[in-house]
Amino acid sequence: MNPDDQTKTQEISKGKYELTLAEFPVFLLSKKGHKDIESIAYEDSITGKEGERVKREWKVYPHSKFGLGTESTFETLFELFQVWKENGFNGPYIQFGSIYNLLKRKGKGTGVKEYNRLVRDLNCLVGITIEAKNSFWDNEVRAYVDMTFHLFDRLELFKERATGPATLPFSRIKASDILYGSILKNSLLITSFDSKFFRSLTPFEQRLALYLSKIFRSQTVHKREVFEFARQLPIYAKQTQHVRQQLRRGCSGLMDKGFEPLKSFGFERGADGTTEYIVFKGSRVAPATLKGLAPKQPKPKPKSDKPADEIEYLVEQIMGFCQDQQSLNFYKKVARLMPRNTIFRALSEAKVSDDMKETKKSKAAHFTYLIKTYAKEQGITL
């Protein structure tokens, strides 16, 4: 095999997932003791405009018939993203062939039990409702957005007979405008692992792997208060020792199975002597190492052929986020020379880092680092 072809194959095998879904809880990770749970809820506070504290709320409500998503639904969603990726995210529909085709991709049996479980997962993905308050920022209108939405709008299964299973290879599921819009904005997490590795993990390890993959994009040390972090995953144990035990088991399992980004973890007490934290240490995956995995951008001409109003609009978007008047001339140069979707990619990633309190210096400095990195990848001098 040609070395370039081998590299391309390795890149294609990398997993992809949506960034916001890697951060917030969407599914129950265990079947035990959750019959009385009516919704999945999480809230925290972030630093907003001009240093204000902004409370974010995230709630997931169940499908009226099938309830909340389970660990099986979680794995199904991840596999759907891989099918979508292989099709180039070329539209809101994810064409997965047939139920049996998707079962085989997941490495599952193809019996009646497995068939019914997968149909339940797919219906659940259409029916669950997410209510998010202050969890999204609209850069165009410069406002926080309260949003209620579904991940998927429609499931279509094709059958040869009215009473038989859906065996025809035309089945598909349609992403909602919100989810597909996020993909169009390149809000994608590129993992260091593929579907096979993901399936080898326990549901809790899977959740940790996606969360930490996102975290280690921008930092090498990550510290969280244990109970707040438990709510975000979610873990429903009430005793600290049980939460700690589950976290330790999950992290150790990831490291034992070869999850490369996580190098070590540990627990420590806060200054008050009672608050307990978990500290993750890992290797940062710099954007430059992801070359070839993001959609290829056309190499722009040294002199911009963008209309003046387009450049002005892009400068406004950058300034609206960075709030750095001293760098205005640099931002104008970025708006002139860089492709529009690359600019929004850098803004999106810098915003995610800022929302997660991961930005070390300033959000303006982080945006500058990202846009210069992408400019270098594309052979553009800023």
Side-chain angles (χ1 to χ4, degrees):
M1 177 182 288
N2 184 298
D4 292 338
D5 293 338
Q6 186 175 9
T7 299
K8 185 176 181 180
T9 300
Q10 291 171 345
E11 289 173 348
I12 291 174
S13 71
K14 301 288 187 181
K16 287 193 177 182
Y17 200 67
E18 204 278 333
L19 277 169
T20 302
L21 299 181
E23 176 184 357
F24 289 100
V26 181
F27 307 105
L28 298 174
L29 302 178
S30 173
K31 298 177 182 177
K32 298 179 180 179
H34 297 332
K35 292 183 179 180
D36 59 338
I37 295 176
E38 297 181 353
S39 65
I40 299 172
Y42 173 71
E43 64 179 50
D44 63 9
S45 296
I46 60 172
T47 302
K49 295 186 302 179
E50 301 176 356
E52 66 173 336
R53 298 300 295 168
V54 177
K55 181 180 178 182
R56 299 191 302 177
E57 297 180 27
W58 176 276
K59 291 184 179 180
V60 181
Y61 296 99
H63 186 291
S64 59
K65 178 179 178 181
F66 297 102
L68 290 165
T70 65
E71 65 270 30
S72 175
T73 321
F74 181 25
E75 191 172 287
T76 297
L77 178 60
F78 184 84
E79 196 59 43
L80 286 172
F81 263 95
Q82 309 324 302
V83 175
W84 208 4
K85 172 200 70 176
E86 292 164 13
N87 293 331
F89 296 104
N90 59 359
Y93 282 98
I94 304 176
Q95 310 274 356
F96 57 85
S98 69
I99 294 293
Y100 295 107
N101 178 60
L102 196 52
L103 282 171
K104 290 177 181 178
R105 286 187 62 108
K106 293 180 64 179
K108 304 296 183 183
T110 56
V112 174
K113 182 179 179 180
E114 291 81 8
Y115 178 95
N116 290 336
R117 181 184 297 118
L118 182 53
V119 171
R120 184 255 180 209
D121 288 343
L122 292 167
N123 277 286
C124 190
L125 288 171
V126 173
I128 59 175
T129 303
I130 298 175
E131 181 183 276
K133 295 183 178 181
N134 296 328
S135 297
F136 296 91
W137 170 262
D138 190 310
N139 219 17
E140 291 190 10
V141 299
R142 299 181 183 179
Y144 292 101
V145 184
D146 291 349
M147 192 181 300
T148 302
F149 63 97
H150 294 277
L151 294 176
F152 295 91
D153 289 338
R154 184 162 72 239
L155 171 66
E156 299 176 7
L157 304 177
F158 293 82
K159 305 179 294 183
E160 289 186 90
R161 297 179 179 85
T163 57
T167 56
L168 294 177
F170 311 117
S171 298
R172 61 184 187 173
I173 190 169
K174 182 177 182 289
S176 67
D177 290 343
I178 300 301
L179 181 57
Y180 186 50
S182 178
I183 299 304
L184 291 178
K185 293 177 183 176
N186 206 28
S187 182
L188 282 168
L189 171 67
I190 302 170
T191 69
S192 62
F193 50 83
D194 59 11
S195 292
K196 184 177 180 180
F197 180 83
F198 187 79
R199 293 195 302 269
S200 75
L201 305 177
T202 67
F204 186 69
E205 290 167 354
Q206 291 172 342
R207 176 75 175 99
L208 275 177
L210 290 175
Y211 177 83
L212 292 174
S213 293
K214 178 178 180 178
I215 291 302
F216 291 138
R217 285 157 43 100
S218 58
Q219 57 185 291
T220 56
V221 179
H222 184 60
K223 182 177 178 179
R224 293 295 305 274
E225 193 275 317
V226 166
F227 270 110
E228 181 185 74
F229 188 50
R231 290 193 299 272
Q232 188 167 356
L233 292 172
I235 299 173
Y236 288 102
K238 296 180 180 179
Q239 299 293 325
T240 304
Q241 63 184 30
H242 296 153
V243 174
R244 189 191 307 116
Q245 182 183 49
Q246 192 163 345
L247 287 170
R248 182 180 287 111
R249 187 185 301 122
C251 293
S252 297
L254 279 180
M255 295 176 69
D256 291 344
K257 293 173 182 177
F259 180 66
E260 295 181 358
L262 180 61
K263 302 304 180 185
S264 66
F265 71 96
F267 297 90
E268 65 179 41
R269 297 282 181 182
D272 59 7
T274 57
T275 306
E276 189 166 14
Y277 297 88
I278 183 169
V279 182
F280 303 96
K281 295 183 179 180
S283 55
R284 180 174 178 179
V285 181
T289 66
L290 304 178
K291 186 176 181 181
L293 295 178
K296 293 183 179 179
Q297 309 294 343
K299 197 170 182 179
K301 300 175 182 179
K303 292 186 178 180
S304 175
D305 55 0
K306 294 177 184 174
D309 56 348
E310 168 75 358
I311 294 173
E312 182 179 355
Y313 169 74
L314 292 172
V315 172
E316 287 179 358
Q317 299 307 304
I318 298 170
M319 281 294 294
F321 173 75
C322 294
Q323 299 291 316
D324 182 7
Q325 189 67 32
Q326 293 182 345
S327 300
L328 179 59
N329 288 335
F330 172 72
Y331 298 151
K332 289 180 179 178
K333 188 174 183 181
V334 169
R336 286 198 311 272
L337 300 181
M338 294 299 294
R340 176 191 177 110
N341 51 357
T342 303
I343 293 172
F344 280 108
R345 177 187 177 189
L347 283 171
S348 175
E349 293 183 359
K351 179 186 180 302
V352 168
S353 178
D354 188 54
D355 287 348
M356 292 284 290
K357 307 175 194 176
E358 299 168 357
T359 305
K360 292 184 177 180
K361 294 183 179 179
S362 69
K363 56 187 182 181
H366 192 199
F367 169 78
T368 297
Y369 163 76
L370 291 170
I371 203 68
K372 284 185 175 180
T373 299
Y374 299 142
K376 185 177 180 180
E377 288 178 7
Q378 297 174 29
I380 301 171
T381 301
L382 290 178

